[in-house]
Amino acid sequence: MCLSIVSLFYYTRPLYDGVGGNAMWAVMTVVVVLEYTVGGTLYKGFNRATATLLAGSLGVGIHLLASKSGEQGEAIIRGASVFLLASAATFSRFIPEVKSRFDYGVLIFILTFSLVSVSGYRVDKLFDLAQQRLSTIAIGTSMCILISILVFPVWAGTDLHRLIIRNMDKLAESLDGCVSTYFDGGIGKSEEEPCKKAQGYKCVLNSKASEESLANLARWEPGHGCFGFRYPWRQYLKIGTAMRHCACCLEALNGCINSDIQAPEFIKKHLSDGCMKLSSHSTDVLKELSNIIKSMEKSSNIDTLLGDMSAAVEDLQNMLRSLTNETLAMPPPPSVESTTENQGKPDAAMTNVALMDILPVVTIASLLIEIAARIEDITDTVDDLAGMADFKATKDQSSEKSTLQDEMENMKELQEV
C-alpha cells in the first residue's frame, strides 16, 4: 500500500513535476523505513528524518563556507569536513545509548552528509536538490508512519507485554513438570521421553535479545490501548532479568533430576511431600503474577499465596534438618558379614545410608528453596511495575479500601464527639 501510493508521485505528471526526478527517493524511503511494528517504523522514520535534515543543513552550510574560500580552499574545507564529521559520527556509535536508540540515524547522517558534500562540489543547484530530497523523504516517512498506525497496527509494546506473560507461564509449567515428574518416578527411569513442559524455561533463558529489542522499540510508540504515554517499558526488562535468574535455577534443577546419580527411593519419599508442596505453591505464585500482568490489575490473593510459599519453605527446611541430623547421627556402615545378616530387616537400609546418598535429593530441595527466593524477586519487580503503571485495584481491594475509609471517618467522628 505504501509503495503503491508513493509510486504515484513518479507515475503521475502533476505530482512528478512537483517533486522532480527525486521521487525515487520516496520509494527508497518506504523500502528502508517501513517495519513490522509501529515502534520500528517510528524509530527508523524519526532517525531518518532527523539525520537527513541535520546532515543536509550542515552540508549546505559547509557548501556556502567553502564556496567563498577559493578553489583550493574549497576542496580542503570539504574534505576536512567529511573526515571530521564522518569520524565523529562513526565513533559515536560505540556509545551504548546512541547504539541502542540512534544507530540508524547516525548511519543515515554519514550517508546524507557525504552525498550532499560530494555532489555540492559539482552541482550548481544544490539548494533545489536538497529541498527535493528532503520533501520526498518526508513524503515517504510520513506515509510509512500513517499506514503502520492506521492499517492493522502491530505494537512492539503489546508484543513485549505478551512475551513476558508467556515466559512466566512457561516458568510455572517447567517448575511443576520437573518436580512432579521426578518424584513420580518418570524422568529418572525413561530419559527417551522427556517432559516438554519441563523444558519451557529454555525459552526464558533465550529471550533477552527479544525483550531488549521490543523494549527499545516500545519507547518510540505513542500511548495505545491499555498502555499510556511514557509507560514504564524498562521495568519489563527487570522482570525478564528476574525470570532468567529463576530459569537458571530451573536449569540446575533439571540437570540434577536427569543426573545418573539418584537418591534411594525411601529418601525421595521422605522429602516428596515437602518438595511437591513447595513446587505447587511456587507455581501458584507465578501463575498469579502472570494474571496480574495480563489483566493489569492488582491481586488480593498474592499475599496469601506468598505466605503459603514461605510456610512451605520452612516445612521443607525442617525436613532437611531432620533428614541430615538422622543421617549424621547414624553409626558407621557395618561390615559385609553384618550387612548380609541384617538383610530383610527394616533398619538395614537406614543403617547403610551414607551422606553421599542423600546429596542428590538434598540438592534438589535446596534448589527449590532458591527458586522460591527468586520468585519473591519476581514478585517485587511486578509490584514495582504495578505501582509505576498504576494498575487498577480489584473489586475486593476497592471494597476493602472503601470500608477502611468509612471506618476511619467513623473513628474521627467518635473522637470529635
Side-chain angles (χ1 to χ4, degrees):
M1 187 180 294
C2 280
L3 287 174
S4 299
I5 295 175
V6 170
S7 299
L8 295 177
F9 287 88
Y10 204 82
Y11 297 143
T12 307
R13 174 58 62 180
L15 297 177
Y16 180 82
D17 294 337
V19 297
N22 290 302
M24 188 59 65
W25 280 88
V27 178
M28 294 175 61
T29 300
V30 170
V31 173
V32 299
V33 167
L34 190 60
E35 290 290 330
Y36 179 69
T37 61
V38 176
T41 303
L42 289 173
Y43 159 74
K44 279 197 168 182
F46 175 81
N47 276 268
R48 186 174 182 85
T50 304
T52 302
L53 180 61
L54 181 60
S57 301
L58 287 175
V60 172
I62 291 175
H63 170 72
L64 294 176
L65 178 63
S67 60
K68 298 179 181 180
S69 302
E71 185 175 356
Q72 293 181 351
E74 183 177 2
I76 295 174
I77 291 176
R78 290 182 181 276
S81 64
V82 170
F83 176 80
L84 293 175
L85 290 177
S87 299
T90 299
F91 283 102
S92 69
R93 301 174 71 183
F94 289 98
I95 303 174
E97 188 67 22
V98 176
K99 179 70 175 178
S100 62
R101 304 192 66 179
F102 306 107
D103 184 69
Y104 180 73
V106 174
L107 184 65
I108 296 300
F109 174 85
I110 297 172
L111 174 63
T112 304
F113 181 78
S114 300
L115 289 175
V116 171
S117 298
V118 173
S119 62
Y121 186 67
R122 298 299 179 185
V123 177
D124 296 331
K125 298 181 179 180
L126 179 62
F127 294 99
D128 295 337
L129 176 64
Q131 182 181 2
Q132 289 176 357
R133 288 187 178 180
L134 285 174
S135 61
T136 51
I137 290 175
I139 291 171
T141 302
S142 59
M143 193 61 60
C144 290
I145 293 174
L146 290 175
I147 294 297
S148 63
I149 293 178
L150 299 179
V151 182
F152 298 108
V154 178
W155 302 95
T158 304
D159 289 346
L160 176 61
H161 185 79
R162 293 172 179 171
L163 177 62
I164 293 296
I165 295 172
R166 187 164 58 249
N167 285 345
M168 197 166 293
D169 291 335
K170 288 181 180 179
L171 270 183
E173 292 179 355
S174 298
L175 178 58
D176 184 63
C178 285
V179 177
S180 62
T181 311
Y182 174 73
F183 285 101
D184 287 342
I187 291 181
K189 294 182 180 179
S190 59
E191 296 182 357
E192 297 180 355
E193 298 178 357
C195 181
K196 293 183 179 180
K197 290 184 178 181
Q199 305 296 322
Y201 67 89
K202 294 183 179 180
C203 297
V204 182
L205 292 174
N206 299 326
S207 64
K208 181 180 179 180
S210 300
E211 292 172 4
E212 291 180 349
S213 176
L214 290 174
N216 288 330
L217 296 180
R219 289 189 292 176
W220 292 93
E221 296 176 346
H224 57 279
C226 301
F227 311 107
F229 181 68
R230 297 184 65 85
Y231 190 81
W233 297 113
R234 301 292 297 180
Q235 187 62 28
Y236 281 91
L237 297 181
K238 296 181 180 180
I239 297 175
T241 301
M243 287 196 298
R244 277 188 292 277
H245 291 164
C246 184
C248 289
C249 295
L250 270 174
E251 187 174 28
L253 177 66
N254 192 43
C256 292
I257 289 174
N258 292 317
S259 175
D260 295 333
I261 303 174
Q262 296 294 328
E265 289 297 327
F266 68 93
I267 296 181
K268 289 172 60 176
K269 291 180 180 179
H270 180 77
L271 296 177
S272 175
D273 293 338
C275 292
M276 293 286 288
K277 182 179 178 182
L278 178 56
S279 172
S280 176
H281 289 304
S282 300
T283 302
D284 291 339
V285 173
L286 286 175
K287 290 180 179 179
E288 186 66 20
L289 292 176
S290 176
N291 292 330
I292 290 174
I293 300 176
K294 185 176 182 179
S295 62
M296 301 184 72
E297 292 182 354
K298 297 179 181 179
S299 173
S300 59
N301 299 325
I302 188 66
D303 293 333
T304 304
L305 295 176
L306 286 173
D308 294 338
M309 186 178 69
S310 300
V313 169
E314 293 180 0
D315 293 340
L316 183 57
Q317 288 175 343
N318 293 331
M319 290 181 181
L320 287 174
R321 293 190 190 99
S322 64
L323 180 63
T324 54
N325 290 334
E326 291 175 1
T327 305
L328 293 175
M330 289 179 182
S335 60
V336 179
E337 296 177 358
S338 60
T339 303
T340 54
E341 292 177 359
N342 291 328
Q343 285 182 355
K345 296 183 180 180
D347 294 335
M350 292 298 295
T351 307
N352 286 284
V353 174
L355 183 60
M356 294 299 295
D357 293 333
I358 68 170
L359 277 181
V361 71
V362 169
T363 303
I364 291 174
S366 301
L367 285 172
L368 287 175
I369 295 173
E370 179 65 22
I371 289 172
R374 299 297 182 182
I375 291 176
E376 290 182 356
D377 294 338
I378 298 175
T379 305
D380 294 336
T381 56
V382 174
D383 288 340
D384 293 338
L385 175 63
M388 294 177 182
D390 294 330
F391 281 6
K392 297 179 181 178
T394 58
K395 295 180 180 179
D396 296 336
Q397 289 178 332
S398 59
S399 60
E400 289 178 1
K401 288 182 179 180
S402 61
T403 53
L404 287 174
Q405 291 177 356
D406 294 338
E407 290 179 359
M408 292 295 293
E409 292 177 358
N410 294 331
M411 289 294 292
K412 288 181 180 180
E413 292 178 356
L414 289 174
Q415 289 176 357
E416 293 177 356
V417 172

